[in-house]
Amino acid sequence: MKNIRSITIFIFTISSVYLLIYLLSGTTSIAIAISTIASTVPFLINRGRAASSSRKRDAAWPEAIDGVVSALQSGMSISEAICSLSNRGPEILRDDFRIIESELLHGGEFGEILLRAKDNADSAIADQVFETLILAKEFGGRDTNSALRLLAEFVREDLAVSEEIRTKFGWIKNSAILATIAPWLLLLLLSSQKSTRESFSTIAGMQILALGVVLTGIAFVWMERVGKLPQMERALR
C-alpha cells in the first residue's frame, strides 16, 4: 500500500510540474528536465518528516525519565512507574508505553518486555533508558533515582549538542541546495525568450539538459552525504 502511494505521488508530481513548466516555457525538453528534478521533492519531504519524528521521539525521553523518577519518589514500583507513562508520559511515546503496560498486565516478564520495546524503538537513547530500567528492576537500591536523573541529564546534553550541530549544518546545506536550484530557475526565466526555447529544442540542447539533470542529481546525493550527521551508535542493541 505504501509503495502504491509513493508511485502515485511520483506520477502526480512529475505530471503536474511538467504541465506547469510546459505552460510557462512552451518547451517540452525544459519541462521534462525540470519535472524530473521536481519529482524527487515528495520523497525528500517524507524523509525529512521521518527524521523530524525520530528527533522528536528522542527529545521526549528525558521527560519520560523524569516521569519515572517522580513516580518512584511517590512510592510506585518500577513496573507501575513505567505503566504510568502510558497516560502521563510524553504524548509521542505513550503508545510505546501502552504496549508495555498491556504486556505487563498479561503477565509478561519485565526484562523481555522492555527488550522488545527497546528493539521496536530503534534508538540509541531508548536503549540506554530501557537497559537502565532493567538493571534498576533487577538490582534496585537507593541509587536508582540518582542514576535515572544522571541519565536524563546526559541525554539532554547530547540532544542539545546534536541540535546545535544540525542547525549549523542546515544553514550550509540550504545554501548549497539554493545554489543547485538557481540555474534551473534562471533557465525557466530565460525560456520566455524564443531563442532559448529553440536552442534547447535541438539535440545538443536536450543533451545539455540531460547532463544538467544528472549533475544536479549527483550534487544532491553528495550534499545529502556530506550534510548528514552520524547516527548515535546503538552500543546496547
Side-chain angles (χ1 to χ4, degrees), residues 27-30 194-210:
T27 308
T28 302
S29 57
I30 294 177
K194 184 179 179 180
S195 58
T196 302
R197 295 195 296 269
E198 292 176 349
S199 297
F200 285 102
S201 295
T202 63
I203 298 298
M206 293 179 186
Q207 291 175 342
I208 292 173
L209 289 173

PDB file of all heavy atoms in Angstrom, residues 27-30 194-210:
ATOM      1  N   THR A  27       8.194  24.638 -23.916  1.00  0.00           N
ATOM      2  CA  THR A  27       9.230  23.757 -24.452  1.00  0.00           C
ATOM      3  C   THR A  27       9.173  22.405 -23.749  1.00  0.00           C
ATOM      4  O   THR A  27       9.296  22.334 -22.517  1.00  0.00           O
ATOM      5  CB  THR A  27      10.634  24.364 -24.255  1.00  0.00           C
ATOM      6  OG1 THR A  27      10.638  25.691 -24.773  1.00  0.00           O
ATOM      7  CG2 THR A  27      11.685  23.540 -24.970  1.00  0.00           C
ATOM      8  N   THR A  28       9.009  21.346 -24.524  1.00  0.00           N
ATOM      9  CA  THR A  28       8.888  20.008 -23.950  1.00  0.00           C
ATOM     10  C   THR A  28      10.152  19.579 -23.224  1.00  0.00           C
ATOM     11  O   THR A  28      10.101  19.030 -22.126  1.00  0.00           O
ATOM     12  CB  THR A  28       8.570  18.984 -25.055  1.00  0.00           C
ATOM     13  OG1 THR A  28       7.356  19.362 -25.705  1.00  0.00           O
ATOM     14  CG2 THR A  28       8.422  17.592 -24.471  1.00  0.00           C
ATOM     15  N   SER A  29      11.316  19.814 -23.818  1.00  0.00           N
ATOM     16  CA  SER A  29      12.577  19.360 -23.229  1.00  0.00           C
ATOM     17  C   SER A  29      12.843  20.012 -21.876  1.00  0.00           C
ATOM     18  O   SER A  29      13.263  19.346 -20.918  1.00  0.00           O
ATOM     19  CB  SER A  29      13.741  19.648 -24.186  1.00  0.00           C
ATOM     20  OG  SER A  29      13.784  21.037 -24.505  1.00  0.00           O
ATOM     21  N   ILE A  30      12.595  21.309 -21.771  1.00  0.00           N
ATOM     22  CA  ILE A  30      12.800  22.014 -20.496  1.00  0.00           C
ATOM     23  C   ILE A  30      11.804  21.517 -19.452  1.00  0.00           C
ATOM     24  O   ILE A  30      12.154  21.312 -18.282  1.00  0.00           O
ATOM     25  CB  ILE A  30      12.674  23.538 -20.693  1.00  0.00           C
ATOM     26  CG1 ILE A  30      13.809  24.059 -21.578  1.00  0.00           C
ATOM     27  CG2 ILE A  30      12.682  24.256 -19.346  1.00  0.00           C
ATOM     28  CD1 ILE A  30      13.729  25.541 -21.889  1.00  0.00           C
ATOM     29  N   LYS A 194      12.294  33.336 -27.226  1.00  0.00           N
ATOM     30  CA  LYS A 194      12.190  32.375 -28.322  1.00  0.00           C
ATOM     31  C   LYS A 194      13.519  31.692 -28.614  1.00  0.00           C
ATOM     32  O   LYS A 194      13.572  30.487 -28.881  1.00  0.00           O
ATOM     33  CB  LYS A 194      11.675  33.092 -29.572  1.00  0.00           C
ATOM     34  CG  LYS A 194      11.450  32.156 -30.748  1.00  0.00           C
ATOM     35  CD  LYS A 194      10.915  32.919 -31.944  1.00  0.00           C
ATOM     36  CE  LYS A 194      10.713  31.976 -33.134  1.00  0.00           C
ATOM     37  NZ  LYS A 194      10.196  32.699 -34.320  1.00  0.00           N
ATOM     38  N   SER A 195      14.620  32.450 -28.547  1.00  0.00           N
ATOM     39  CA  SER A 195      15.940  31.889 -28.852  1.00  0.00           C
ATOM     40  C   SER A 195      16.309  30.780 -27.871  1.00  0.00           C
ATOM     41  O   SER A 195      16.907  29.773 -28.257  1.00  0.00           O
ATOM     42  CB  SER A 195      17.005  32.986 -28.809  1.00  0.00           C
ATOM     43  OG  SER A 195      17.024  33.614 -27.532  1.00  0.00           O
ATOM     44  N   THR A 196      15.934  30.950 -26.605  1.00  0.00           N
ATOM     45  CA  THR A 196      16.216  29.923 -25.595  1.00  0.00           C
ATOM     46  C   THR A 196      15.412  28.665 -25.875  1.00  0.00           C
ATOM     47  O   THR A 196      15.934  27.547 -25.811  1.00  0.00           O
ATOM     48  CB  THR A 196      15.880  30.448 -24.186  1.00  0.00           C
ATOM     49  OG1 THR A 196      16.640  31.627 -23.925  1.00  0.00           O
ATOM     50  CG2 THR A 196      16.190  29.395 -23.130  1.00  0.00           C
ATOM     51  N   ARG A 197      14.143  28.831 -26.194  1.00  0.00           N
ATOM     52  CA  ARG A 197      13.299  27.676 -26.477  1.00  0.00           C
ATOM     53  C   ARG A 197      13.821  26.907 -27.685  1.00  0.00           C
ATOM     54  O   ARG A 197      13.853  25.678 -27.691  1.00  0.00           O
ATOM     55  CB  ARG A 197      11.851  28.118 -26.711  1.00  0.00           C
ATOM     56  CG  ARG A 197      11.192  28.718 -25.470  1.00  0.00           C
ATOM     57  CD  ARG A 197       9.685  28.801 -25.657  1.00  0.00           C
ATOM     58  NE  ARG A 197       9.318  29.701 -26.752  1.00  0.00           N
ATOM     59  CZ  ARG A 197       9.072  30.996 -26.594  1.00  0.00           C
ATOM     60  NH1 ARG A 197       9.184  31.551 -25.395  1.00  0.00           N
ATOM     61  NH2 ARG A 197       8.712  31.739 -27.626  1.00  0.00           N
ATOM     62  N   GLU A 198      14.240  27.648 -28.707  1.00  0.00           N
ATOM     63  CA  GLU A 198      14.755  26.990 -29.906  1.00  0.00           C
ATOM     64  C   GLU A 198      16.067  26.256 -29.628  1.00  0.00           C
ATOM     65  O   GLU A 198      16.296  25.164 -30.138  1.00  0.00           O
ATOM     66  CB  GLU A 198      14.949  28.022 -31.022  1.00  0.00           C
ATOM     67  CG  GLU A 198      13.638  28.588 -31.556  1.00  0.00           C
ATOM     68  CD  GLU A 198      13.859  29.681 -32.587  1.00  0.00           C
ATOM     69  OE1 GLU A 198      15.030  30.132 -32.713  1.00  0.00           O
ATOM     70  OE2 GLU A 198      12.885  30.085 -33.261  1.00  0.00           O
ATOM     71  N   SER A 199      16.911  26.865 -28.808  1.00  0.00           N
ATOM     72  CA  SER A 199      18.211  26.268 -28.510  1.00  0.00           C
ATOM     73  C   SER A 199      18.060  24.938 -27.785  1.00  0.00           C
ATOM     74  O   SER A 199      18.755  23.960 -28.094  1.00  0.00           O
ATOM     75  CB  SER A 199      19.047  27.233 -27.658  1.00  0.00           C
ATOM     76  OG  SER A 199      19.317  28.419 -28.357  1.00  0.00           O
ATOM     77  N   PHE A 200      17.149  24.891 -26.819  1.00  0.00           N
ATOM     78  CA  PHE A 200      17.002  23.671 -26.025  1.00  0.00           C
ATOM     79  C   PHE A 200      16.028  22.676 -26.653  1.00  0.00           C
ATOM     80  O   PHE A 200      15.771  21.624 -26.068  1.00  0.00           O
ATOM     81  CB  PHE A 200      16.551  24.019 -24.603  1.00  0.00           C
ATOM     82  CG  PHE A 200      17.657  24.600 -23.773  1.00  0.00           C
ATOM     83  CD1 PHE A 200      17.727  25.964 -23.550  1.00  0.00           C
ATOM     84  CD2 PHE A 200      18.651  23.785 -23.238  1.00  0.00           C
ATOM     85  CE1 PHE A 200      18.753  26.507 -22.795  1.00  0.00           C
ATOM     86  CE2 PHE A 200      19.673  24.318 -22.483  1.00  0.00           C
ATOM     87  CZ  PHE A 200      19.733  25.691 -22.263  1.00  0.00           C
ATOM     88  N   SER A 201      15.528  22.988 -27.825  1.00  0.00           N
ATOM     89  CA  SER A 201      14.707  22.033 -28.558  1.00  0.00           C
ATOM     90  C   SER A 201      15.548  21.208 -29.530  1.00  0.00           C
ATOM     91  O   SER A 201      15.056  20.243 -30.120  1.00  0.00           O
ATOM     92  CB  SER A 201      13.601  22.762 -29.331  1.00  0.00           C
ATOM     93  OG  SER A 201      12.708  23.388 -28.431  1.00  0.00           O
ATOM     94  N   THR A 202      16.814  21.599 -29.696  1.00  0.00           N
ATOM     95  CA  THR A 202      17.719  20.857 -30.572  1.00  0.00           C
ATOM     96  C   THR A 202      18.291  19.645 -29.834  1.00  0.00           C
ATOM     97  O   THR A 202      18.176  19.528 -28.603  1.00  0.00           O
ATOM     98  CB  THR A 202      18.868  21.762 -31.031  1.00  0.00           C
ATOM     99  OG1 THR A 202      19.629  22.169 -29.884  1.00  0.00           O
ATOM    100  CG2 THR A 202      18.334  22.993 -31.748  1.00  0.00           C
ATOM    101  N   ILE A 203      18.962  18.759 -30.579  1.00  0.00           N
ATOM    102  CA  ILE A 203      19.584  17.575 -29.980  1.00  0.00           C
ATOM    103  C   ILE A 203      20.647  17.984 -28.969  1.00  0.00           C
ATOM    104  O   ILE A 203      20.720  17.435 -27.860  1.00  0.00           O
ATOM    105  CB  ILE A 203      20.209  16.678 -31.071  1.00  0.00           C
ATOM    106  CG1 ILE A 203      19.129  16.179 -32.041  1.00  0.00           C
ATOM    107  CG2 ILE A 203      20.937  15.504 -30.432  1.00  0.00           C
ATOM    108  CD1 ILE A 203      18.075  15.313 -31.380  1.00  0.00           C
ATOM    109  N   ALA A 204      21.480  18.960 -29.356  1.00  0.00           N
ATOM    110  CA  ALA A 204      22.534  19.425 -28.444  1.00  0.00           C
ATOM    111  C   ALA A 204      21.935  20.024 -27.172  1.00  0.00           C
ATOM    112  O   ALA A 204      22.435  19.796 -26.073  1.00  0.00           O
ATOM    113  CB  ALA A 204      23.423  20.446 -29.154  1.00  0.00           C
ATOM    114  N   GLY A 205      20.865  20.797 -27.338  1.00  0.00           N
ATOM    115  CA  GLY A 205      20.218  21.392 -26.172  1.00  0.00           C
ATOM    116  C   GLY A 205      19.648  20.350 -25.233  1.00  0.00           C
ATOM    117  O   GLY A 205      19.758  20.462 -24.003  1.00  0.00           O
ATOM    118  N   MET A 206      19.033  19.314 -25.805  1.00  0.00           N
ATOM    119  CA  MET A 206      18.487  18.230 -24.979  1.00  0.00           C
ATOM    120  C   MET A 206      19.597  17.479 -24.243  1.00  0.00           C
ATOM    121  O   MET A 206      19.426  17.076 -23.090  1.00  0.00           O
ATOM    122  CB  MET A 206      17.699  17.259 -25.866  1.00  0.00           C
ATOM    123  CG  MET A 206      16.436  17.851 -26.453  1.00  0.00           C
ATOM    124  SD  MET A 206      15.562  16.655 -27.512  1.00  0.00           S
ATOM    125  CE  MET A 206      14.255  17.690 -28.172  1.00  0.00           C
ATOM    126  N   GLN A 207      20.735  17.307 -24.916  1.00  0.00           N
ATOM    127  CA  GLN A 207      21.870  16.648 -24.265  1.00  0.00           C
ATOM    128  C   GLN A 207      22.383  17.471 -23.086  1.00  0.00           C
ATOM    129  O   GLN A 207      22.738  16.925 -22.029  1.00  0.00           O
ATOM    130  CB  GLN A 207      22.978  16.410 -25.288  1.00  0.00           C
ATOM    131  CG  GLN A 207      22.639  15.362 -26.335  1.00  0.00           C
ATOM    132  CD  GLN A 207      23.708  15.238 -27.397  1.00  0.00           C
ATOM    133  OE1 GLN A 207      24.547  16.131 -27.568  1.00  0.00           O
ATOM    134  NE2 GLN A 207      23.684  14.124 -28.144  1.00  0.00           N
ATOM    135  N   ILE A 208      22.417  18.779 -23.260  1.00  0.00           N
ATOM    136  CA  ILE A 208      22.847  19.664 -22.165  1.00  0.00           C
ATOM    137  C   ILE A 208      21.878  19.569 -20.983  1.00  0.00           C
ATOM    138  O   ILE A 208      22.287  19.501 -19.817  1.00  0.00           O
ATOM    139  CB  ILE A 208      22.952  21.122 -22.667  1.00  0.00           C
ATOM    140  CG1 ILE A 208      24.106  21.251 -23.659  1.00  0.00           C
ATOM    141  CG2 ILE A 208      23.140  22.081 -21.490  1.00  0.00           C
ATOM    142  CD1 ILE A 208      24.195  22.604 -24.325  1.00  0.00           C
ATOM    143  N   LEU A 209      20.580  19.547 -21.286  1.00  0.00           N
ATOM    144  CA  LEU A 209      19.577  19.417 -20.232  1.00  0.00           C
ATOM    145  C   LEU A 209      19.708  18.083 -19.499  1.00  0.00           C
ATOM    146  O   LEU A 209      19.635  18.025 -18.261  1.00  0.00           O
ATOM    147  CB  LEU A 209      18.169  19.553 -20.809  1.00  0.00           C
ATOM    148  CG  LEU A 209      17.748  20.958 -21.270  1.00  0.00           C
ATOM    149  CD1 LEU A 209      16.404  20.891 -21.969  1.00  0.00           C
ATOM    150  CD2 LEU A 209      17.689  21.906 -20.083  1.00  0.00           C
ATOM    151  N   ALA A 210      19.918  17.008 -20.257  1.00  0.00           N
ATOM    152  CA  ALA A 210      20.072  15.687 -19.648  1.00  0.00           C
ATOM    153  C   ALA A 210      21.299  15.652 -18.748  1.00  0.00           C
ATOM    154  O   ALA A 210      21.255  15.114 -17.632  1.00  0.00           O
ATOM    155  CB  ALA A 210      20.181  14.618 -20.730  1.00  0.00           C
TER     156      ALA A 210
END
